[in-house]
Short mmCIF file of all heavy atoms in Angstrom, two decimals:
data_model
loop_
_atom_site.label_atom_id
_atom_site.label_comp_id
_atom_site.label_asym_id
_atom_site.label_seq_id
_atom_site.Cartn_x
_atom_site.Cartn_y
_atom_site.Cartn_z
N VAL I 80 108.86 77.44 106.81
CA VAL I 80 110.01 77.39 107.69
C VAL I 80 111.24 77.07 106.86
O VAL I 80 111.22 76.19 106.00
CB VAL I 80 109.83 76.33 108.79
CG1 VAL I 80 111.11 76.16 109.61
CG2 VAL I 80 108.67 76.70 109.70
N GLU I 81 112.31 77.80 107.13
CA GLU I 81 113.61 77.53 106.51
C GLU I 81 114.57 77.18 107.64
O GLU I 81 114.77 77.97 108.55
CB GLU I 81 114.11 78.76 105.75
CG GLU I 81 113.19 79.16 104.61
CD GLU I 81 113.66 80.42 103.90
OE1 GLU I 81 114.02 81.40 104.58
OE2 GLU I 81 113.68 80.40 102.67
N GLU I 82 115.12 75.98 107.58
CA GLU I 82 115.96 75.48 108.65
C GLU I 82 117.41 75.91 108.49
O GLU I 82 117.95 75.90 107.37
CB GLU I 82 115.89 73.96 108.72
CG GLU I 82 114.52 73.41 109.07
CD GLU I 82 114.08 73.71 110.49
OE1 GLU I 82 114.87 74.21 111.31
OE2 GLU I 82 112.90 73.44 110.79
N ALA I 83 118.05 76.24 109.60
CA ALA I 83 119.48 76.56 109.60
C ALA I 83 120.26 75.40 109.01
O ALA I 83 119.98 74.24 109.29
CB ALA I 83 119.95 76.86 111.01
N GLY I 84 121.24 75.73 108.17
CA GLY I 84 122.07 74.71 107.56
C GLY I 84 121.55 74.22 106.21
O GLY I 84 122.29 73.61 105.45
N ALA I 85 120.28 74.52 105.91
CA ALA I 85 119.72 74.13 104.61
C ALA I 85 120.02 75.24 103.59
O ALA I 85 120.68 76.23 103.91
CB ALA I 85 118.21 73.91 104.73
N ARG I 86 119.53 75.06 102.39
CA ARG I 86 119.67 76.08 101.35
C ARG I 86 118.28 76.54 100.94
O ARG I 86 117.35 75.75 100.89
CB ARG I 86 120.42 75.53 100.14
CG ARG I 86 121.86 75.22 100.49
CD ARG I 86 122.73 75.11 99.25
NE ARG I 86 124.13 74.96 99.61
CZ ARG I 86 124.98 75.97 99.78
NH1 ARG I 86 124.57 77.21 99.62
NH2 ARG I 86 126.23 75.75 100.10
N ASP I 87 118.15 77.84 100.65
CA ASP I 87 116.85 78.37 100.23
C ASP I 87 116.62 78.07 98.74
O ASP I 87 117.45 77.44 98.09
CB ASP I 87 116.73 79.86 100.55
CG ASP I 87 117.68 80.75 99.76
OD1 ASP I 87 118.25 80.30 98.74
OD2 ASP I 87 117.84 81.92 100.16
N HIS I 88 115.48 78.52 98.22
CA HIS I 88 115.15 78.21 96.82
C HIS I 88 116.06 78.91 95.82
O HIS I 88 116.02 78.61 94.63
CB HIS I 88 113.67 78.49 96.53
CG HIS I 88 113.25 79.91 96.69
ND1 HIS I 88 112.84 80.44 97.87
CD2 HIS I 88 113.18 80.91 95.78
CE1 HIS I 88 112.54 81.71 97.71
NE2 HIS I 88 112.74 82.02 96.45
N PHE I 89 116.90 79.83 96.28
CA PHE I 89 117.92 80.44 95.42
C PHE I 89 119.25 79.70 95.52
O PHE I 89 120.22 80.06 94.87
CB PHE I 89 118.13 81.92 95.79
CG PHE I 89 116.94 82.78 95.53
CD1 PHE I 89 116.19 83.28 96.58
CD2 PHE I 89 116.55 83.10 94.23
CE1 PHE I 89 115.09 84.08 96.34
CE2 PHE I 89 115.45 83.90 93.99
CZ PHE I 89 114.71 84.39 95.04
N GLY I 90 119.31 78.69 96.41
CA GLY I 90 120.53 77.92 96.58
C GLY I 90 121.48 78.52 97.61
O GLY I 90 122.60 78.04 97.78
N LEU I 91 121.03 79.53 98.32
CA LEU I 91 121.89 80.19 99.31
C LEU I 91 121.74 79.53 100.67
O LEU I 91 120.66 79.07 101.04
CB LEU I 91 121.52 81.67 99.40
CG LEU I 91 121.65 82.44 98.08
CD1 LEU I 91 121.07 83.84 98.23
CD2 LEU I 91 123.09 82.50 97.64
N PRO I 92 122.81 79.49 101.47
CA PRO I 92 122.74 78.87 102.79
C PRO I 92 121.85 79.67 103.75
O PRO I 92 121.83 80.90 103.71
CB PRO I 92 124.19 78.87 103.28
CG PRO I 92 124.89 79.90 102.46
CD PRO I 92 124.15 80.02 101.17
N ILE I 93 121.11 78.94 104.57
CA ILE I 93 120.27 79.56 105.60
C ILE I 93 121.03 79.50 106.90
O ILE I 93 121.44 78.42 107.35
CB ILE I 93 118.92 78.82 105.69
CG1 ILE I 93 118.18 78.93 104.35
CG2 ILE I 93 118.08 79.36 106.83
CD1 ILE I 93 117.01 78.01 104.22
N GLU I 94 121.23 80.65 107.51
CA GLU I 94 122.08 80.74 108.70
C GLU I 94 121.35 80.47 110.01
O GLU I 94 121.96 80.05 110.98
CB GLU I 94 122.75 82.11 108.74
CG GLU I 94 123.69 82.32 107.57
CD GLU I 94 124.34 83.69 107.57
OE1 GLU I 94 124.26 84.40 108.59
OE2 GLU I 94 124.94 84.05 106.54
N GLU I 95 120.05 80.75 110.05
CA GLU I 95 119.29 80.53 111.28
C GLU I 95 117.90 80.05 110.92
O GLU I 95 117.43 80.25 109.80
CB GLU I 95 119.18 81.82 112.10
CG GLU I 95 118.35 82.91 111.43
CD GLU I 95 118.21 84.16 112.28
OE1 GLU I 95 117.56 84.09 113.34
OE2 GLU I 95 118.73 85.20 111.87
N ARG I 96 117.24 79.39 111.87
CA ARG I 96 115.85 78.97 111.63
C ARG I 96 115.03 80.23 111.43
O ARG I 96 115.03 81.13 112.28
CB ARG I 96 115.33 78.17 112.82
CG ARG I 96 113.91 77.66 112.62
CD ARG I 96 113.46 76.86 113.84
NE ARG I 96 112.07 76.50 113.77
CZ ARG I 96 111.60 75.38 113.24
NH1 ARG I 96 112.42 74.48 112.75
NH2 ARG I 96 110.30 75.14 113.22
#
Side-chain angles (χ1 to χ4, degrees):
V80 173
E81 298 177 314
E82 296 292 351
R86 294 198 174 270
D87 67 15
H88 62 273
F89 294 109
L91 301 172
I93 298 168
E94 296 179 13
E95 66 177 294
R96 182 179 173 92

